[in-house]
Amino acid sequence: MIGMFKGYLEKLGESAGKFVTSTGLMATMLAQAAVYAFTPPVKLRNIFKQMEFVGVQSLFVVVLTGTFTGMVMALQSFNALKRFGAESLVGPTVALSMARELGPVLTGLMVTGRAGSAMATELGTMRVTEQIDALFTMAVNPVKYLVVPRIIAGVLMFPLLTVITDFVGVVGGYMVGVRLLGINPGVYIGRTIDFVQVSDIFIGLEKSIVFGLIMSLVACFNGFYTTGGAEGVGRSATSSVVMGSVLILVSDYLLSSFLS
Amino acid sequence: MIKIIDLKKRFNTRRVLNGLNLEIEQGKITVIIGRSGEGKSVLIKHIIGLLRPDSGQIFLDDMEITSMKEKDFNEVRKRFGMLFQGGALFDSMTVAGNVGFPLKEHTDLSDDDILKIVTEKLRRVGLVNVEEMMPADLSGGMRKRVGLARAIVMDPEIVLFDEPTTGLDPIMSDSVADLVLDTQRVLKTTYILITHDIPFTYKIADKIAMLHEGRIIEQGTVEEMKANQNPIVRQFLEGRAEGPIKVY
């Protein structure tokens, strides 16, 4: 009994130790990246390459996600609001949900699944094939060369992708609400303009900047500290998606509380 | 000259380097031999600052490098080149991009000038018209050659080789040995190699040092090591399973 309890405590201590170490390493990586981001020379080419990867290559998935989310939001809110005779509020419901919540969160989750896992895999492969060590030996700081462009790309591209998700979501909602469910287009657009304020859109964009930082930092951290060969690379990719998604959802709640 | 004094390194409970002492002469080829897992890679990672020791010192000329700050060590690293076991070529870059990478990062040379140097270095390691190939399209031997071209592209004073013949057939190993000799003799660069390939070692070494249980137990020229009567050295050089080194 005592042995079992001791074993349990040892495991708990080990997990706590790992958690503290990981948190410390991630904080150090973020601090280093913040310093190196403003230390010349700044390699714009690397940053643009990552922006293209995180942003342009994620367009298809966020357009698809945003459109269908807007469509389903319109459909569901119409069914609910019809009971109160408030079908005219479908437009603002969709727009507000997209701008404040669904736009940034869905963009965050989808891009974490697509780009975050790929980033962790790429850096993890570089780690296990000694490419990161090779950078060190060539007097090139791997955090500056590999991590900084990815974090900058995440922070810059997430708000842009969120704007696109918001827009296609609203368009998707309009198509279902007006074309399919027969809401008057003038009422739909007019009510949306009445209820949605610029500050609602900005709340979503502020969140998306944080989500972009979380996605890129978590992916870089998991990839950079990969151990254990090919299996380790797979583990890093999975961890980056799971840890990134959970942190996005937790921070979404905290940001929503704070920004409200 | 590189002087290593009483170097110690432990990973968790496992002691890998246990008071290692070694002097590496300038302009010579020093080969460090020893069984797999004895800490050969750990040793060269200490020399180039990828790992820091628990205790002990490494002097490069008169500079003690183990206690240097990372920023200062980066200046020291520019005096080194390193060939990794698998080449460690960047998958996302062409051969020319890989070989020219240190020049692009540390010099103001134009792309044309970099390409000229890259072509010259590739020719020196026996490769022509491979500049636009991707690492994935290269054979094991070609990857090592490209890795060597990248290691010498900045004309470093010291080049480190991590198991340069691992995974190569005997003929390709011999050709890598010729390549090591050709490139070293021209510039009189200090080469430090770690390997357990004995024929390769006999062909290239000016000095052989044997690493066993975290220490250099014997060192000398090829002839001196061939004549060495230490049973551990004899067993390793002759490749016998029976002897004081236990197989586990």
Side-chain angles (χ1 to χ4, degrees):
Chain A
M1 184 69 183
I2 293 170
M4 225 174 86
F5 185 65
K6 196 182 161 197
Y8 176 74
L9 274 181
E10 275 174 1
K11 273 186 185 169
L12 194 70
E14 202 177 300
S15 300
K18 274 184 187 170
F19 175 77
V20 172
T21 308
S22 298
T23 310
L25 285 173
M26 209 188 288
T28 308
M29 181 180 266
L30 179 61
Q32 284 180 340
V35 172
Y36 289 132
F38 298 101
T39 310
V42 177
K43 301 274 178 183
L44 287 177
R45 199 173 159 207
N46 287 354
I47 296 172
F48 288 143
K49 192 178 160 193
Q50 290 305 321
M51 284 169 73
E52 196 262 344
F53 174 70
V54 173
V56 180
Q57 291 187 33
S58 300
L59 266 179
F60 179 71
V61 73
V62 298
V63 166
L64 212 62
T65 312
T67 307
F68 281 98
T69 305
M71 287 165 74
V72 81
M73 276 293 298
L75 199 62
Q76 293 289 12
S77 58
F78 179 82
N79 286 335
L81 292 167
K82 196 169 67 174
R83 295 175 197 180
F84 311 104
E87 298 94 323
S88 63
L89 293 178
V90 167
T93 305
V94 172
L96 280 172
S97 308
M98 290 304 299
R100 293 179 69 105
E101 204 58 48
L102 293 174
V105 172
L106 287 175
T107 304
L109 296 178
M110 295 310 289
V111 180
T112 297
R114 197 200 72 78
S117 59
M119 272 183 196
T121 305
E122 188 182 1
L123 295 192
T125 306
M126 289 186 77
R127 168 63 74 189
V128 300
T129 56
E130 297 184 306
Q131 292 176 50
I132 291 180
D133 285 347
L135 281 171
F136 264 118
T137 64
M138 286 185 274
V140 174
N141 186 299
V143 172
K144 182 170 170 61
Y145 188 78
L146 298 171
V147 176
V148 169
R150 284 167 172 80
I151 290 183
I152 292 176
V155 169
L156 291 182
M157 295 316 286
F158 265 53
L160 294 177
L161 289 170
T162 299
V163 168
I164 292 165
T165 310
D166 290 351
F167 176 74
V168 296
V170 169
V171 170
Y174 176 88
M175 298 303 281
V176 170
V178 172
R179 305 278 168 164
L180 205 68
L181 303 171
I183 301 171
N184 182 291
V187 171
Y188 191 99
I189 294 169
R191 291 295 230 167
T192 303
I193 292 170
D194 286 346
F195 278 92
V196 181
Q197 294 172 348
V198 178
S199 62
D200 295 317
I201 297 167
F202 274 105
I203 284 174
L205 296 185
E206 284 164 14
K207 283 182 179 178
S208 70
I209 292 170
V210 177
F211 298 165
L213 177 66
I214 290 172
M215 182 284 293
S216 49
L217 181 64
V218 167
C220 288
F221 168 76
N222 279 293
F224 201 85
Y225 291 105
T226 296
T227 52
E231 196 186 340
V233 174
R235 222 172 20 239
S236 294
T238 308
S239 298
S240 75
V241 175
V242 174
M243 201 193 288
S245 303
V246 169
L247 284 176
I248 283 174
L249 292 171
V250 172
S251 64
D252 179 48
Y253 175 75
L254 296 174
L255 287 168
S256 295
S257 313
F258 181 69
L259 294 170
S260 298
Chain B
M1 190 178 76
I2 298 173
K3 195 170 181 183
I4 303 167
I5 302 168
D6 200 25
L7 204 67
K8 290 180 182 169
K9 182 70 177 178
R10 183 190 279 271
F11 293 106
N12 296 323
T13 55
R14 190 166 162 258
R15 185 176 286 174
V16 180
L17 300 180
N18 189 19
L20 185 143
N21 291 286
L22 181 65
E23 283 187 20
I24 292 160
E25 289 176 59
Q26 194 173 341
K28 302 279 185 190
I29 300 177
T30 301
V31 181
I32 299 158
I33 57 171
R35 289 194 69 200
S36 300
E38 285 285 354
K40 302 189 298 294
S41 294
V42 172
L43 173 59
I44 60 167
K45 283 180 179 174
H46 276 89
I47 295 173
I48 203 162
L50 281 172
L51 291 171
R52 302 289 177 130
D54 297 334
S55 65
Q57 294 170 308
I58 300 175
F59 286 92
L60 175 61
D61 301 329
D62 291 328
M63 271 187 302
E64 205 290 298
I65 57 175
T66 58
S67 55
M68 271 185 175
K69 286 183 181 165
E70 193 59 26
K71 194 180 165 192
D72 298 328
F73 212 128
N74 260 348
E75 289 308 307
V76 174
R77 285 193 188 107
K78 289 177 187 169
R79 297 170 62 183
F80 283 86
M82 181 160 174
L83 172 62
F84 285 83
Q85 200 175 119
L89 302 178
F90 302 126
D91 301 322
S92 56
M93 292 181 195
T94 61
V95 166
N98 266 285
V99 178
F101 183 81
L103 294 169
K104 209 167 175 79
E105 287 297 315
H106 299 303
T107 69
D108 295 324
L109 292 170
S110 68
D111 288 352
D112 285 345
D113 289 340
I114 289 176
L115 189 60
K116 274 183 204 158
I117 298 170
V118 166
T119 307
E120 194 269 320
K121 297 293 179 191
L122 285 170
R123 190 188 50 74
R124 191 177 287 177
V125 298
L127 294 171
V128 286
N129 297 327
V130 296
E131 286 84 347
E132 293 311 312
M133 287 175 80
M134 297 304 284
D137 301 325
L138 303 175
S139 67
M142 287 169 88
R143 289 174 76 91
K144 301 260 187 194
R145 283 166 186 265
V146 174
L148 179 56
R150 187 175 69 181
I152 61 173
V153 76
M154 295 278 282
D155 294 326
E157 296 166 40
I158 303 149
V159 183
L160 307 171
F161 295 74
D162 186 0
E163 309 265 11
T165 59
T166 298
L168 300 182
D169 64 59
I171 295 167
M172 187 55 79
S173 292
D174 194 55
S175 116
V176 171
D178 289 337
L179 193 62
V180 168
L181 289 170
D182 290 346
T183 51
Q184 197 270 340
R185 299 297 179 225
V186 175
L187 296 168
K188 284 286 171 203
T189 311
T190 306
Y191 276 12
I192 305 166
L193 298 94
I194 57 168
T195 184
H196 39 60
D197 184 337
I198 301 305
F200 173 79
T201 303
Y202 284 160
K203 184 163 182 174
I204 62 161
D206 291 317
K207 176 180 172 181
I208 302 172
M210 178 148 178
L211 178 61
H212 181 66
E213 292 181 346
R215 289 193 177 114
I216 299 295
I217 55 163
E218 296 285 351
Q219 51 187 304
T221 62
V222 172
E223 295 313 315
E224 285 166 352
M225 289 299 272
K226 278 181 177 173
N228 192 299
Q229 290 308 307
N230 183 327
I232 296 171
V233 175
R234 291 259 51 81
Q235 183 190 354
F236 187 78
L237 293 179
E238 289 163 16
R240 283 184 284 107
E242 303 83 25
I245 306 173
K246 297 293 170 220
V247 182
Y248 48 86

